[in-house]
Amino acid sequence: MNTKNEQTGARTNWFVGASFGRTEDQMPRFLAEGIWENGYEDKLLDVVRSMRVGDRIAIKSSYTRKHGLPFDNRGQTVSVMAIKAVGTITENLNDGQRVRVEWIKVEPVREWYFYTHRGTVWRVLSGEWMADGLIDFAFDGKPQDIERFRNEPFWRERFGTSTPDKRRFEWTKFYEAIADKLLTYRSNRAALVKGLEEIAERIEGIGHLQDQYADGTTGFVKDICPFTTMGLFNRGLTDTNRRIIATELGKFLGVEEPAPSTFDGVPLLNLQNSWFFPFEKRREPDHIDALWDVFTAAIKFADSDADDARYEFAKAFDHVNGRLFVAWNLTFGLYWIRPWDFLSLDNNSQVYVTKKLSVPIGLHGPKKRCNSSDYLAVMDALEPRFQEASYPVHSYPELSMEAWLYKDPTGEMLLDAQDADGNDEIHDVDDAVQETVRAAVPIVPYTVEDILKDGCFLEREEIVRLLDRLRTKKNLILQGPPGTGKTWLAKRLAFALMGQKDESKVRAVQFHPNLSYEDFVRGWRPTGDGRLSLADGVFMEAIKAASKESSSKFVVVIEEINRGNPAQIFGELLTLLEAGKRTPSEALELCYPDADGKRRPIHIPENLHVIGTMNIADRSLALVDLALRRRFAFVGLEPRLGSAWRNWVVKECAVDPILVADIERRIAELNDQITADARLGKQFRIGHSYVTPVHRLEAGETKNWFRQVVETEISPLLDEYWFDAPEEAQKACTHLIQDW
């Protein structure tokens, strides 16, 4: 048994619930008895045993709120965690049930926003700024930096201080409001059906709600589920028709939010199979009830701190999953009702999650689809990553949007026929709207101005010249000292060249000494059955894609192009890279035939461009082949410390405006020293990326951040530069942080 005399190790901070699914709050009893108790006999036992004497513990209650908040939440639902009592663990009884605590009641209750947790027990360790902020708030009474939290990527779209023209996903408020109103009809579905029938008499587009009854007759549906109801304006119709239907439905339900003007990234149902249940004559008696159950459980899971909400949702999900007309479309419906809390697993999102984000999707449910455990596991993997500033997406709406834009280079389709589900039943399509239909993939324009907005420190005219050279020469190499943003700029130049942000048309590869022609162009690869087969590499895949879509531009980005042997890796295609040889008349046969054994001449199409990057400070790299030099335009990038850099790091990275000029001066002095050294030269200067924070700094952290950069990034680099004069490297580092 742990006692007060056994306090060892660093303190952990625990945030715990006090209801455990019961109707009454257990906190008064806990405070009176000086304990905290795990309300389960079969869960969290090992977690409770791991609590140590001296650990700090807080009783919390998590919920959501739309009104009465100390900031402008723009009508969005906010996650709230109330801190009701704090204390220190004095004894662990090691039964997995109870710990003794010296409690202090928090009066009045203090509310913490955004970074919350709905589980019974939350173990929080210091070290990350969000966790540190919560610990200081709960146990030391410090205020929460609400502005910083609301402007973090995970919350920025909903609660940030951005101007209205930069706000996306405004449609989510209408969708959530529709779901909330539908919930009130769970026990009064006859009124819902009557209202829908009246709408159907006034407008076109929902005439497909014609059922085939058990007695063989037909007519308007007598019962309906909430997902099919929301599917009325989430089918393959024109946006105009979708808005009309959404507006009428909103009026009927009493929704105050206006119908969306755009539906970007919202997954759609198949126009001919947009029900979540079959005709009455084939329907199980509890089918629609089961859909209402999962709808209700999902909203409760998203909105409340009820300890059993996750379990009830999983139970309801599995109960309805796999029935006729319920497949992947169930996740569409969950996404519609709470877009910030649930993931849609439409085909685009499946491909994006598995291919781009490398998160596996389990298929342990009916008909090799996911069950509730699989579905929740994917969300459990994604949601912590959403809070990382550098992660490709930061919310489910953003993921859905990016999934629409993303195209897997392999062209793989993962989703089976989610609606028909192998059945021959087709729900009729309204003739007036049948001809409308294809969900448009949104195009995200990208221009030189967008490169500048993303944080490029070049002048606009310089970027324009780079693009002109890329268009004319077809092939461009960005070379420069380390930290000058070569890789960062290469991909953005590709987007600007294409005029849109389309990652499916950009292939990235890194050259290294072991990369070969067989990897990059074509070669033999082992198959699953132990044999060898001919397979195309990245460059041949790009050539084929560009040849099929001649009206679009494609780009291959080659990082550290001088780390490999370009002549060997490109092979005969090195000749064809030349801008003047991008025609079929210059085509050459490859070393390896096509998969069918035939040899067909290959040429590099005009619309395929190549951008390479090159670190000119690496002594280990050989000189670039002259044949490669003749086929590429070479542009040097230099350290860019100046007004554009200063403005960016102060505004976007929260670098102390008083210290930013001093940082610039110190790096500039070091670069002058490096340039003047005959053993080095200007190609060894330190780039601006070293002193451009990836994430926003906390207040008062500028000096500490700069010292860490010098000690862990710049110092090792200088040790390599002055490997024969270590005292010079040490002196330079000391000068960088002198008086700091």
Side-chain angles (χ1 to χ4, degrees), residues 464-698:
V464 170
R465 285 197 295 271
L466 287 176
L467 287 171
D468 286 342
R469 290 302 295 146
L470 181 57
R471 291 188 187 97
T472 304
K473 191 70 175 178
K474 305 296 182 187
N475 313 304
L476 178 73
I477 286 181
L478 302 175
Q479 60 181 4
T484 48
K486 299 178 287 294
T487 299
W488 183 93
L489 181 59
K491 201 165 189 179
R492 285 162 176 81
L493 285 175
F495 291 149
L497 178 74
M498 297 184 294
Q500 66 183 59
K501 195 172 184 180
D502 186 349
E503 294 202 18
S504 69
K505 294 182 172 63
V506 180
R507 301 296 303 274
V509 63
Q510 179 163 343
F511 276 13
H512 54 81
N514 291 328
L515 192 72
S516 67
Y517 176 92
E518 286 74 15
D519 300 315
F520 189 63
V521 181
R522 179 180 290 168
W524 293 100
R525 310 279 175 82
T527 62
D529 58 5
R531 300 182 180 182
L532 294 176
S533 66
L534 280 170
D536 288 336
V538 170
F539 199 56
M540 268 307 300
E541 289 177 350
I543 288 174
K544 289 182 176 180
S547 299
K548 291 177 181 178
E549 199 172 336
S550 59
S551 61
S552 300
K553 289 182 170 62
F554 290 74
V555 179
V556 173
V557 175
I558 303 174
E559 297 187 34
E560 301 191 82
I561 193 170
N562 54 333
R563 280 195 176 275
N565 183 337
Q568 182 184 50
I569 294 170
F570 277 98
E572 61 277 349
L573 293 183
L574 183 60
T575 298
L576 302 183
L577 275 176
E578 198 168 330
K581 296 184 178 179
R582 299 290 193 97
T583 66
S585 60
E586 299 287 346
L588 296 174
E589 291 183 0
L590 300 183
C591 292
Y592 296 99
D594 291 345
D596 60 6
K598 296 182 179 180
R599 292 185 178 274
R600 297 178 178 88
I602 295 295
H603 78 283
I604 300 176
E606 285 270 354
N607 59 323
L608 178 60
H609 299 71
V610 179
I611 304 176
T613 69
M614 183 184 298
N615 180 3
I616 57 177
D618 195 332
R619 293 187 175 100
S620 68
L621 303 180
L623 294 175
V624 175
D625 187 284
L626 290 177
L628 184 74
R629 283 196 175 276
R630 191 163 62 82
R631 289 166 174 82
F632 280 80
F634 283 71
V635 176
L637 298 182
E638 299 186 352
R640 290 281 176 156
L641 298 174
S643 59
W645 171 80
R646 289 195 301 271
N647 292 337
W648 177 268
V649 297
V650 170
K651 181 180 178 181
E652 303 295 334
C653 308
V655 172
D656 191 326
I658 298 175
L659 301 176
V660 68
D662 197 17
I663 294 173
E664 180 181 5
R665 177 185 60 79
R666 291 167 187 253
I667 296 296
E669 289 176 355
L670 174 61
N671 281 338
D672 288 343
Q673 180 184 354
I674 291 172
T675 301
D677 193 315
R679 296 163 295 181
L680 300 174
K682 66 178 185 179
Q683 69 269 29
F684 287 86
R685 288 173 295 175
I686 304 299
H688 50 267
S689 296
Y690 283 95
V691 287
T692 304
V694 177
H695 311 301
R696 288 182 66 85
L697 303 181
E698 293 186 55

Side-chain angles (χ1 to χ4, degrees), residues 83-258:
I83 304 300
K84 303 166 71 175
V86 296
T88 302
I89 296 175
T90 60
E91 184 179 0
N92 190 327
L93 303 179
N94 280 333
D95 58 1
Q97 294 288 322
R98 289 174 297 277
V99 293
R100 299 196 186 280
V101 182
E102 290 182 356
W103 287 114
I104 299 174
K105 187 176 182 180
V106 176
E107 293 183 303
V109 170
R110 301 180 69 219
E111 288 190 336
W112 170 268
Y113 307 102
F114 306 116
Y115 181 62
T116 65
H117 185 77
R118 292 181 302 198
T120 301
V121 179
W122 187 16
R123 180 173 182 254
V124 179
L125 300 175
S126 61
E128 297 292 337
W129 74 267
M130 291 188 193
D132 290 344
L134 173 59
I135 293 167
D136 290 343
F137 175 88
F139 299 106
D140 299 325
K142 294 183 179 180
Q144 180 181 7
D145 187 350
I146 292 176
E147 290 303 301
R148 184 175 186 185
F149 274 91
R150 67 190 292 205
N151 284 292
E152 276 297 294
F154 184 56
W155 297 286
R156 184 188 302 149
E157 296 282 1
R158 286 170 284 175
F159 313 111
T161 54
S162 60
T163 56
D165 61 305
K166 293 184 178 179
R167 295 174 186 172
R168 303 182 296 174
F169 315 124
E170 290 294 291
W171 57 266
T172 59
K173 290 186 285 187
F174 178 82
Y175 276 62
E176 290 186 350
I178 288 284
D180 290 342
K181 293 294 185 179
L182 281 174
L183 189 59
T184 65
Y185 283 88
R186 181 183 183 184
S187 300
N188 189 20
R189 276 136 51 185
L192 175 60
V193 170
K194 182 180 179 182
L196 295 178
E197 192 168 13
E198 290 174 355
I199 294 174
E201 292 172 356
R202 296 196 305 272
I203 65 172
E204 299 175 334
I206 59 175
H208 65 293
L209 294 181
Q210 295 295 312
D211 204 349
Q212 294 181 12
Y213 305 140
D215 61 7
T217 60
T218 62
F220 201 80
V221 293
K222 298 176 181 177
D223 198 0
I224 196 168
C225 75
F227 300 118
T228 303
T229 303
M230 292 194 72
L232 295 176
F233 60 93
N234 289 292
R235 306 160 63 223
L237 307 173
T238 61
D239 281 0
T240 299
N241 282 327
R242 292 176 68 189
R243 276 193 294 272
I244 291 172
I245 297 171
T247 299
E248 290 294 326
L249 182 60
K251 287 179 180 177
F252 164 68
L253 294 174
V255 171
E256 296 180 359
E257 289 288 339

Side-chain angles (χ1 to χ4, degrees), residues 265-270 327-332 343-356 361 399-400 402-408 410-419:
V266 180
L268 302 181
L269 297 172
N270 185 307
W328 297 108
N329 57 340
L330 178 58
T331 67
F332 301 11
L343 167 68
S344 170
L345 285 176
D346 55 277
N347 186 72
N348 293 316
S349 295
Q350 283 195 53
V351 171
Y352 188 82
V353 167
T354 56
K355 299 294 186 178
K356 176 68 175 180
I361 300 174
L399 187 155
S400 185
E402 290 299 316
W404 275 103
L405 301 172
Y406 179 75
K407 295 178 183 175
D408 177 34
T410 65
E412 183 176 355
M413 298 290 286
L414 302 182
L415 185 67
D416 56 321
Q418 86 266 358
D419 295 310

